[in-house]
CSV table of all heavy atoms in Angstrom, one decimal:
chain,number,residue,atom,x,y,z
A,31,LYS,N,8.8,28.6,0.8
A,31,LYS,CA,8.7,29.6,-0.3
A,31,LYS,C,10.0,30.3,-0.5
A,31,LYS,O,10.8,30.5,0.3
A,31,LYS,CB,7.6,30.7,0.1
A,31,LYS,CG,6.2,30.1,0.1
A,31,LYS,CD,5.2,31.3,0.4
A,31,LYS,CE,3.8,30.8,0.4
A,31,LYS,NZ,2.8,31.9,0.6
A,32,GLY,N,10.1,30.7,-1.8
A,32,GLY,CA,11.3,31.5,-2.1
A,32,GLY,C,11.1,32.9,-1.7
A,32,GLY,O,10.0,33.4,-1.5
A,33,THR,N,12.2,33.6,-1.6
A,33,THR,CA,12.2,35.0,-1.2
A,33,THR,C,12.7,35.9,-2.3
A,33,THR,O,13.6,35.5,-3.1
A,33,THR,CB,13.0,35.3,0.1
A,33,THR,OG1,14.4,34.9,-0.1
A,33,THR,CG2,12.4,34.5,1.3
A,34,VAL,N,12.2,37.1,-2.4
A,34,VAL,CA,12.5,38.0,-3.4
A,34,VAL,C,12.9,39.3,-2.8
A,34,VAL,O,12.2,39.9,-1.9
A,34,VAL,CB,11.4,38.2,-4.4
A,34,VAL,CG1,11.8,39.3,-5.5
A,34,VAL,CG2,11.0,37.0,-5.1
A,35,ALA,N,14.1,39.9,-3.2
A,35,ALA,CA,14.5,41.2,-2.7
A,35,ALA,C,13.7,42.3,-3.4
A,35,ALA,O,13.4,42.2,-4.6
A,35,ALA,CB,16.0,41.4,-2.9
A,36,VAL,N,13.4,43.3,-2.6
A,36,VAL,CA,12.7,44.5,-3.2
A,36,VAL,C,13.7,45.2,-4.1
A,36,VAL,O,14.8,45.5,-3.6
A,36,VAL,CB,12.2,45.4,-2.1
A,36,VAL,CG1,11.6,46.7,-2.7
A,36,VAL,CG2,11.2,44.7,-1.2
A,37,PRO,N,13.4,45.4,-5.3
A,37,PRO,CA,14.3,46.1,-6.3
A,37,PRO,C,14.7,47.5,-5.7
A,37,PRO,O,13.9,48.2,-5.1
A,37,PRO,CB,13.5,46.2,-7.6
A,37,PRO,CG,12.5,45.1,-7.4
A,37,PRO,CD,12.2,45.0,-6.1
A,38,THR,N,16.0,47.8,-6.0
A,38,THR,CA,16.5,49.1,-5.6
A,38,THR,C,16.6,50.0,-6.8
A,38,THR,O,16.9,49.5,-7.9
A,38,THR,CB,17.9,49.0,-4.9
A,38,THR,OG1,18.8,48.3,-5.8
A,38,THR,CG2,17.7,48.2,-3.6
A,39,ALA,N,16.5,51.3,-6.6
A,39,ALA,CA,16.5,52.2,-7.7
A,39,ALA,C,17.9,52.7,-8.0
A,39,ALA,O,18.8,52.7,-7.1
A,39,ALA,CB,15.6,53.4,-7.4
A,40,THR,N,18.1,53.3,-9.2
A,40,THR,CA,19.3,53.9,-9.6
A,40,THR,C,19.0,55.4,-9.9
A,40,THR,O,18.0,55.7,-10.6
A,40,THR,CB,20.0,53.3,-10.8
A,40,THR,OG1,20.2,51.9,-10.6
A,40,THR,CG2,21.2,54.0,-11.2
A,41,ASN,N,19.6,56.3,-9.3
A,41,ASN,CA,19.4,57.7,-9.5
A,41,ASN,C,20.5,58.4,-10.4
A,41,ASN,O,21.6,57.8,-10.5
A,41,ASN,CB,19.5,58.5,-8.1
A,41,ASN,CG,18.4,58.0,-7.2
A,41,ASN,OD1,17.3,57.8,-7.6
A,41,ASN,ND2,18.8,57.7,-5.9
A,42,TYR,N,20.2,59.4,-11.0
A,42,TYR,CA,21.1,60.0,-12.0
A,42,TYR,C,21.1,61.6,-11.9
A,42,TYR,O,20.3,62.2,-11.2
A,42,TYR,CB,20.5,59.7,-13.4
A,42,TYR,CG,20.4,58.3,-13.7
A,42,TYR,CD1,19.2,57.7,-13.4
A,42,TYR,CD2,21.4,57.6,-14.3
A,42,TYR,CE1,19.0,56.3,-13.7
A,42,TYR,CE2,21.3,56.2,-14.6
A,42,TYR,CZ,20.1,55.6,-14.3
A,42,TYR,OH,19.9,54.2,-14.5
A,43,ASP,N,22.2,62.2,-12.5
A,43,ASP,CA,22.2,63.6,-12.7
A,43,ASP,C,21.7,63.9,-14.1
A,43,ASP,O,22.1,63.2,-15.0
A,43,ASP,CB,23.6,64.1,-12.5
A,43,ASP,CG,24.1,64.0,-11.1
A,43,ASP,OD1,23.3,64.3,-10.2
A,43,ASP,OD2,25.3,63.7,-10.8
A,44,TYR,N,21.0,65.0,-14.3
A,44,TYR,CA,20.5,65.3,-15.5
A,44,TYR,C,21.6,65.4,-16.6
A,44,TYR,O,22.5,66.2,-16.4
A,44,TYR,CB,19.6,66.5,-15.6
A,44,TYR,CG,19.1,67.0,-16.9
A,44,TYR,CD1,18.1,66.3,-17.5
A,44,TYR,CD2,19.7,68.0,-17.6
A,44,TYR,CE1,17.6,66.6,-18.7
A,44,TYR,CE2,19.2,68.3,-18.8
A,44,TYR,CZ,18.2,67.6,-19.4
A,44,TYR,OH,17.8,68.1,-20.7
A,45,ASP,N,21.5,64.7,-17.7
A,45,ASP,CA,22.4,64.9,-18.8
A,45,ASP,C,21.7,65.0,-20.2
A,45,ASP,O,22.4,64.9,-21.2
A,45,ASP,CB,23.4,63.8,-18.8
A,45,ASP,CG,22.8,62.4,-19.0
A,45,ASP,OD1,21.5,62.3,-19.1
A,45,ASP,OD2,23.5,61.4,-18.9
A,46,GLY,N,20.4,65.2,-20.2
A,46,GLY,CA,19.7,65.2,-21.4
A,46,GLY,C,19.3,63.9,-22.0
A,46,GLY,O,18.8,63.8,-23.1
A,47,GLN,N,19.7,62.8,-21.5
A,47,GLN,CA,19.5,61.4,-22.0
A,47,GLN,C,18.4,60.7,-21.1
A,47,GLN,O,18.2,61.0,-20.0
A,47,GLN,CB,20.8,60.6,-21.9
A,47,GLN,CG,22.0,61.2,-22.6
A,47,GLN,CD,21.8,61.4,-24.1
A,47,GLN,OE1,21.2,60.6,-24.7
A,47,GLN,NE2,22.3,62.5,-24.6
A,48,GLU,N,17.8,59.8,-21.8
A,48,GLU,CA,16.8,59.0,-21.1
A,48,GLU,C,17.5,57.9,-20.2
A,48,GLU,O,18.5,57.3,-20.6
A,48,GLU,CB,15.8,58.3,-22.0
A,48,GLU,CG,14.7,57.5,-21.4
A,48,GLU,CD,13.8,56.8,-22.4
A,48,GLU,OE1,14.2,55.8,-23.0
A,48,GLU,OE2,12.7,57.3,-22.5
A,49,HIS,N,16.9,57.7,-19.0
A,49,HIS,CA,17.5,56.8,-18.0
A,49,HIS,C,16.3,55.9,-17.5
A,49,HIS,O,15.2,56.3,-17.4
A,49,HIS,CB,18.2,57.5,-16.9
A,49,HIS,CG,19.4,58.2,-17.3
A,49,HIS,ND1,20.6,57.6,-17.7
A,49,HIS,CD2,19.6,59.6,-17.5
A,49,HIS,CE1,21.5,58.5,-18.0
A,49,HIS,NE2,20.9,59.7,-17.9
A,50,ASN,N,16.7,54.7,-17.1
A,50,ASN,CA,15.8,53.8,-16.4
A,50,ASN,C,16.1,53.7,-14.9
A,50,ASN,O,17.3,53.5,-14.5
A,50,ASN,CB,16.0,52.3,-16.9
A,50,ASN,CG,15.5,52.2,-18.4
A,50,ASN,OD1,14.4,52.8,-18.7
A,50,ASN,ND2,16.2,51.5,-19.2
A,51,GLY,N,15.1,54.0,-14.1
A,51,GLY,CA,15.3,54.0,-12.6
A,51,GLY,C,15.4,52.6,-12.1
A,51,GLY,O,16.0,52.4,-11.0
A,52,TYR,N,14.7,51.6,-12.8
A,52,TYR,CA,14.8,50.2,-12.3
A,52,TYR,C,15.1,49.3,-13.5
A,52,TYR,O,14.6,49.6,-14.6
A,52,TYR,CB,13.4,49.8,-11.8
A,52,TYR,CG,13.1,50.4,-10.3
A,52,TYR,CD1,12.5,51.7,-10.3
A,52,TYR,CD2,13.5,49.8,-9.2
A,52,TYR,CE1,12.2,52.3,-9.1
A,52,TYR,CE2,13.2,50.4,-8.0
A,52,TYR,CZ,12.6,51.6,-7.9
A,52,TYR,OH,12.4,52.2,-6.7
A,53,ASP,N,15.9,48.3,-13.3
A,53,ASP,CA,16.2,47.3,-14.3
A,53,ASP,C,15.3,46.2,-14.2
A,53,ASP,O,15.4,45.3,-13.4
A,53,ASP,CB,17.7,46.9,-14.1
A,53,ASP,CG,18.1,45.9,-15.2
A,53,ASP,OD1,17.3,45.7,-16.1
A,53,ASP,OD2,19.3,45.5,-15.1
A,54,ILE,N,14.3,46.2,-15.1
A,54,ILE,CA,13.2,45.2,-15.1
A,54,ILE,C,13.8,43.8,-15.4
A,54,ILE,O,13.4,42.8,-14.8
A,54,ILE,CB,12.1,45.5,-16.1
A,54,ILE,CG1,11.4,46.8,-15.7
A,54,ILE,CG2,11.1,44.4,-16.1
A,54,ILE,CD1,10.4,47.3,-16.6
A,55,SER,N,14.8,43.8,-16.2
A,55,SER,CA,15.3,42.4,-16.6
A,55,SER,C,16.1,41.7,-15.5
A,55,SER,O,16.2,40.5,-15.5
A,55,SER,CB,16.3,42.7,-17.8
A,55,SER,OG,17.4,43.5,-17.4
A,56,ALA,N,16.4,42.5,-14.5
A,56,ALA,CA,17.1,41.9,-13.3
A,56,ALA,C,16.2,41.5,-12.2
A,56,ALA,O,16.6,40.9,-11.2
A,56,ALA,CB,18.1,42.9,-12.7
A,57,HIS,N,14.9,41.7,-12.4
A,57,HIS,CA,13.9,41.3,-11.4
A,57,HIS,C,12.7,40.6,-12.1
A,57,HIS,O,11.6,41.2,-12.1
A,57,HIS,CB,13.4,42.6,-10.6
A,57,HIS,CG,14.5,43.4,-10.0
A,57,HIS,ND1,15.2,43.0,-8.8
A,57,HIS,CD2,15.2,44.5,-10.4
A,57,HIS,CE1,16.1,43.8,-8.5
A,57,HIS,NE2,16.1,44.7,-9.5
A,58,LEU,N,12.9,39.4,-12.5
A,58,LEU,CA,11.9,38.7,-13.3
A,58,LEU,C,10.7,38.2,-12.4
A,58,LEU,O,9.7,37.9,-12.9
A,58,LEU,CB,12.5,37.5,-13.9
A,58,LEU,CG,13.7,37.8,-14.9
A,58,LEU,CD1,14.3,36.5,-15.5
A,58,LEU,CD2,13.2,38.7,-16.0
A,59,ASN,N,10.9,38.2,-11.1
A,59,ASN,CA,9.8,37.8,-10.2
A,59,ASN,C,9.0,38.9,-9.7
A,59,ASN,O,8.1,38.8,-8.9
A,59,ASN,CB,10.3,37.0,-9.0
A,59,ASN,CG,10.9,35.7,-9.4
A,59,ASN,OD1,10.4,35.0,-10.3
A,59,ASN,ND2,12.0,35.3,-8.8
A,60,VAL,N,9.2,40.2,-10.2
A,60,VAL,CA,8.6,41.4,-9.8
A,60,VAL,C,8.0,42.1,-10.9
A,60,VAL,O,8.6,42.3,-11.9
A,60,VAL,CB,9.6,42.3,-9.0
A,60,VAL,CG1,8.9,43.5,-8.5
A,60,VAL,CG2,10.3,41.5,-7.8
A,61,ALA,N,6.8,42.6,-10.7
A,61,ALA,CA,6.1,43.5,-11.7
A,61,ALA,C,6.2,44.9,-11.2
A,61,ALA,O,5.8,45.2,-10.1
A,61,ALA,CB,4.6,43.1,-11.8
A,62,ILE,N,6.9,45.7,-12.0
A,62,ILE,CA,7.1,47.1,-11.6
A,62,ILE,C,6.4,48.0,-12.5
A,62,ILE,O,6.5,48.0,-13.7
A,62,ILE,CB,8.7,47.5,-11.7
A,62,ILE,CG1,9.5,46.5,-10.9
A,62,ILE,CG2,8.9,48.9,-11.2
A,62,ILE,CD1,11.0,46.7,-11.1
A,63,ASN,N,5.5,48.8,-11.9
A,63,ASN,CA,4.7,49.7,-12.6
A,63,ASN,C,4.8,51.1,-12.1
A,63,ASN,O,5.1,51.4,-11.0
A,63,ASN,CB,3.2,49.3,-12.5
A,63,ASN,CG,2.9,47.9,-13.1
A,63,ASN,OD1,3.0,47.8,-14.3
A,63,ASN,ND2,2.6,47.0,-12.3
A,64,GLY,N,4.6,52.1,-13.1
A,64,GLY,CA,4.8,53.5,-12.7
A,64,GLY,C,5.8,54.0,-13.8
A,64,GLY,O,5.9,53.5,-14.9
A,65,THR,N,6.5,55.1,-13.5
A,65,THR,CA,7.4,55.7,-14.4
A,65,THR,C,8.8,55.1,-14.2
A,65,THR,O,9.5,55.4,-13.2
A,65,THR,CB,7.5,57.3,-14.1
A,65,THR,OG1,6.2,57.8,-14.2
A,65,THR,CG2,8.5,57.9,-15.2
A,66,ILE,N,9.2,54.2,-15.1
A,66,ILE,CA,10.4,53.5,-14.9
A,66,ILE,C,11.5,54.2,-15.7
A,66,ILE,O,12.7,54.1,-15.3
A,66,ILE,CB,10.2,52.1,-15.4
A,66,ILE,CG1,9.1,51.3,-14.6
A,66,ILE,CG2,11.5,51.3,-15.4
A,66,ILE,CD1,8.8,50.0,-15.1
A,67,ALA,N,11.2,54.8,-16.8
A,67,ALA,CA,12.2,55.5,-17.7
A,67,ALA,C,11.7,57.0,-17.8
A,67,ALA,O,10.6,57.3,-18.0
A,67,ALA,CB,12.3,54.8,-19.0
A,68,ALA,N,12.7,57.9,-17.8
A,68,ALA,CA,12.5,59.3,-18.0
A,68,ALA,C,13.7,60.0,-18.4
A,68,ALA,O,14.8,59.5,-18.3
A,68,ALA,CB,11.9,59.8,-16.6
A,69,THR,N,13.5,61.3,-18.8
A,69,THR,CA,14.6,62.1,-19.2
A,69,THR,C,14.8,63.3,-18.4
A,69,THR,O,15.9,63.7,-18.0
A,69,THR,CB,14.4,62.6,-20.7
A,69,THR,OG1,14.3,61.4,-21.6
A,69,THR,CG2,15.6,63.5,-21.2
A,70,HIS,N,13.7,64.0,-18.0
A,70,HIS,CA,13.8,65.3,-17.3
A,70,HIS,C,14.0,65.1,-15.8
A,70,HIS,O,13.7,64.0,-15.3
A,70,HIS,CB,12.5,66.1,-17.5
A,70,HIS,CG,12.3,66.5,-18.9
A,70,HIS,ND1,13.2,67.4,-19.5
A,70,HIS,CD2,11.3,66.2,-19.9
A,70,HIS,CE1,12.7,67.7,-20.8
A,70,HIS,NE2,11.6,66.9,-21.0
A,71,ALA,N,14.6,66.1,-15.2
A,71,ALA,CA,14.9,66.0,-13.8
A,71,ALA,C,13.6,66.0,-12.9
A,71,ALA,O,12.8,66.9,-13.1
A,71,ALA,CB,15.7,67.2,-13.4
A,72,SER,N,13.5,65.1,-12.1
A,72,SER,CA,12.3,64.9,-11.2
A,72,SER,C,12.5,63.7,-10.3
A,72,SER,O,13.5,62.9,-10.5
A,72,SER,CB,11.0,64.8,-12.0
A,72,SER,OG,9.9,64.9,-11.2
A,73,THR,N,11.5,63.5,-9.5
A,73,THR,CA,11.5,62.2,-8.7
A,73,THR,C,10.2,61.4,-9.2
A,73,THR,O,9.1,62.0,-9.3
A,73,THR,CB,11.4,62.5,-7.2
A,73,THR,OG1,12.5,63.1,-6.8
A,73,THR,CG2,11.1,61.2,-6.4
A,74,TYR,N,10.4,60.2,-9.5
A,74,TYR,CA,9.4,59.3,-10.1
A,74,TYR,C,9.0,58.2,-9.2
A,74,TYR,O,9.9,57.5,-8.5
A,74,TYR,CB,9.9,58.8,-11.5
A,74,TYR,CG,10.3,59.9,-12.4
A,74,TYR,CD1,11.6,60.3,-12.6
A,74,TYR,CD2,9.3,60.5,-13.2
A,74,TYR,CE1,11.9,61.4,-13.4
A,74,TYR,CE2,9.6,61.5,-14.1
A,74,TYR,CZ,10.9,61.9,-14.2
A,74,TYR,OH,11.3,62.9,-15.1
A,75,GLU,N,7.7,57.9,-9.1
A,75,GLU,CA,7.2,56.9,-8.2
A,75,GLU,C,6.8,55.6,-9.0
A,75,GLU,O,6.4,55.6,-10.1
A,75,GLU,CB,5.9,57.4,-7.5
A,75,GLU,CG,6.1,58.7,-6.8
A,75,GLU,CD,7.0,58.6,-5.6
A,75,GLU,OE1,7.1,57.5,-5.0
A,75,GLU,OE2,7.6,59.7,-5.2
A,76,VAL,N,7.0,54.5,-8.3
A,76,VAL,CA,6.7,53.2,-8.9
A,76,VAL,C,6.0,52.3,-7.8
A,76,VAL,O,6.2,52.6,-6.6
A,76,VAL,CB,7.9,52.4,-9.4
A,76,VAL,CG1,8.6,53.2,-10.5
A,76,VAL,CG2,8.9,52.0,-8.3
A,77,VAL,N,5.3,51.3,-8.3
A,77,VAL,CA,4.8,50.2,-7.3
A,77,VAL,C,5.3,48.9,-7.8
A,77,VAL,O,5.5,48.7,-9.0
A,77,VAL,CB,3.2,50.3,-7.3
A,77,VAL,CG1,2.7,51.6,-6.6
A,77,VAL,CG2,2.6,50.1,-8.7
A,78,MET,N,5.5,48.0,-6.8
A,78,MET,CA,6.1,46.7,-7.1
A,78,MET,C,5.3,45.6,-6.5
A,78,MET,O,5.0,45.6,-5.3
A,78,MET,CB,7.6,46.7,-6.6
A,78,MET,CG,8.4,47.7,-7.4
A,78,MET,SD,10.1,47.9,-6.6
A,78,MET,CE,9.7,48.9,-5.2
A,79,ASP,N,5.0,44.5,-7.3
A,79,ASP,CA,4.3,43.4,-6.8
A,79,ASP,C,4.9,42.1,-7.2
A,79,ASP,O,5.6,42.0,-8.2
A,79,ASP,CB,2.8,43.4,-7.4
A,79,ASP,CG,2.0,44.5,-6.9
A,79,ASP,OD1,1.6,44.5,-5.7
A,79,ASP,OD2,1.7,45.5,-7.7
A,80,LEU,N,4.8,41.2,-6.3
A,80,LEU,CA,5.3,39.8,-6.7
A,80,LEU,C,4.4,39.1,-7.7
A,80,LEU,O,3.2,39.2,-7.7
A,80,LEU,CB,5.2,38.9,-5.4
A,80,LEU,CG,6.2,39.3,-4.2
A,80,LEU,CD1,5.8,38.5,-3.0
A,80,LEU,CD2,7.7,39.0,-4.6
A,81,ILE,N,5.1,38.6,-8.7
A,81,ILE,CA,4.4,38.0,-9.8
A,81,ILE,C,3.8,36.7,-9.3
A,81,ILE,O,2.7,36.3,-9.8
A,81,ILE,CB,5.3,37.7,-11.0
A,81,ILE,CG1,5.8,39.0,-11.6
A,81,ILE,CG2,4.7,36.8,-12.0
A,81,ILE,CD1,6.8,38.9,-12.8
A,82,ASP,N,4.4,36.0,-8.4
A,82,ASP,CA,3.9,34.6,-7.9
A,82,ASP,C,4.0,34.7,-6.4
A,82,ASP,O,4.9,34.2,-5.7
A,82,ASP,CB,4.8,33.6,-8.4
A,82,ASP,CG,4.3,32.1,-7.9
A,82,ASP,OD1,3.1,32.1,-7.4
A,82,ASP,OD2,5.0,31.2,-8.2
A,83,PRO,N,3.0,35.4,-5.8
A,83,PRO,CA,2.9,35.5,-4.3
A,83,PRO,C,2.6,34.2,-3.6
A,83,PRO,O,2.7,34.1,-2.4
A,83,PRO,CB,1.8,36.6,-4.0
A,83,PRO,CG,0.9,36.4,-5.2
A,83,PRO,CD,1.8,36.1,-6.4
A,84,VAL,N,2.2,33.2,-4.3
A,84,VAL,CA,1.9,31.9,-3.7
A,84,VAL,C,3.2,31.2,-3.3
A,84,VAL,O,3.3,30.6,-2.3
A,84,VAL,CB,1.0,31.0,-4.7
A,84,VAL,CG1,0.9,29.6,-4.1
A,84,VAL,CG2,-0.3,31.7,-4.9
A,85,ASN,N,4.1,31.3,-4.2
A,85,ASN,CA,5.4,30.6,-4.0
A,85,ASN,C,6.6,31.5,-3.5
A,85,ASN,O,7.6,30.9,-3.3
A,85,ASN,CB,5.8,29.8,-5.2
A,85,ASN,CG,4.8,28.7,-5.6
A,85,ASN,OD1,4.5,27.8,-4.7
A,85,ASN,ND2,4.3,28.7,-6.8
A,86,TYR,N,6.3,32.8,-3.5
A,86,TYR,CA,7.4,33.7,-3.2
A,86,TYR,C,6.8,34.7,-2.2
A,86,TYR,O,5.7,35.2,-2.2
A,86,TYR,CB,7.9,34.4,-4.4
A,86,TYR,CG,8.7,33.5,-5.4
A,86,TYR,CD1,8.0,32.8,-6.4
A,86,TYR,CD2,10.1,33.2,-5.2
A,86,TYR,CE1,8.7,32.0,-7.3
A,86,TYR,CE2,10.8,32.4,-6.0
A,86,TYR,CZ,10.1,31.7,-7.1
A,86,TYR,OH,10.8,30.9,-7.9
A,87,THR,N,7.8,35.3,-1.4
A,87,THR,CA,7.5,36.4,-0.5
A,87,THR,C,8.7,37.4,-0.7
A,87,THR,O,9.7,37.0,-1.2
A,87,THR,CB,7.4,35.9,0.9
A,87,THR,OG1,8.7,35.5,1.4
A,87,THR,CG2,6.4,34.9,1.1
A,88,TRP,N,8.4,38.6,-0.2
A,88,TRP,CA,9.5,39.5,-0.1
A,88,TRP,C,10.5,39.0,1.0
A,88,TRP,O,10.1,38.1,1.8
A,88,TRP,CB,9.0,40.9,0.3
A,88,TRP,CG,8.1,41.5,-0.7
A,88,TRP,CD1,6.8,41.8,-0.5
A,88,TRP,CD2,8.4,41.9,-2.0
A,88,TRP,NE1,6.2,42.4,-1.6
A,88,TRP,CE2,7.2,42.5,-2.6
A,88,TRP,CE3,9.5,41.9,-2.8
A,88,TRP,CZ2,7.1,43.0,-3.9
A,88,TRP,CZ3,9.5,42.4,-4.1
A,88,TRP,CH2,8.3,42.9,-4.6
A,89,GLU,N,11.6,39.6,1.1
A,89,GLU,CA,12.6,39.2,2.2
A,89,GLU,C,12.1,39.4,3.6
A,89,GLU,O,12.5,38.7,4.5
A,89,GLU,CB,13.9,39.9,2.0
A,89,GLU,CG,14.6,39.5,0.7
A,89,GLU,CD,16.0,40.2,0.5
A,89,GLU,OE1,16.0,41.4,1.0
A,89,GLU,OE2,16.9,39.6,0.0
A,90,ASP,N,11.1,40.4,3.7
A,90,ASP,CA,10.5,40.6,5.1
A,90,ASP,C,9.4,39.7,5.4
A,90,ASP,O,8.7,39.8,6.5
A,90,ASP,CB,10.1,42.1,5.2
A,90,ASP,CG,9.0,42.4,4.2
A,90,ASP,OD1,8.5,41.5,3.5
A,90,ASP,OD2,8.6,43.6,4.2
A,91,GLY,N,9.1,38.7,4.5
A,91,GLY,CA,8.1,37.7,4.7
A,91,GLY,C,6.7,38.1,4.3
A,91,GLY,O,5.8,37.3,4.4
A,92,THR,N,6.5,39.3,3.8
A,92,THR,CA,5.3,39.7,3.3
A,92,THR,C,5.1,39.5,1.8
A,92,THR,O,6.1,39.3,1.1
A,92,THR,CB,5.0,41.2,3.6
A,92,THR,OG1,5.9,42.0,2.9
A,92,THR,CG2,5.2,41.5,5.1
A,93,THR,N,3.9,39.7,1.4
A,93,THR,CA,3.6,39.6,-0.1
A,93,THR,C,2.9,40.8,-0.6
A,93,THR,O,2.5,40.9,-1.7
A,93,THR,CB,2.8,38.4,-0.4
A,93,THR,OG1,1.5,38.4,0.4
A,93,THR,CG2,3.5,37.1,0.0
Side-chain angles (χ1 to χ4, degrees):
K31 291 184 176 183
T33 58
V34 176
V36 176
T38 56
T40 302
N41 299 314
Y42 304 88
D43 292 321
Y44 176 74
D45 60 3
Q47 305 296 323
E48 185 179 72
H49 294 286
N50 292 317
Y52 289 87
D53 184 1
I54 297 178
S55 63
H57 303 284
L58 300 179
N59 292 319
V60 181
I62 305 176
N63 294 293
T65 304
I66 300 171
T69 301
H70 294 297
S72 186
T73 296
Y74 301 96
E75 307 292 333
V76 300
V77 294
M78 296 169 283
D79 291 289
L80 292 167
I81 292 177
D82 183 7
V84 174
N85 295 307
Y86 292 90
T87 66
W88 299 114
E89 288 180 330
D90 62 4
T92 67
T93 57

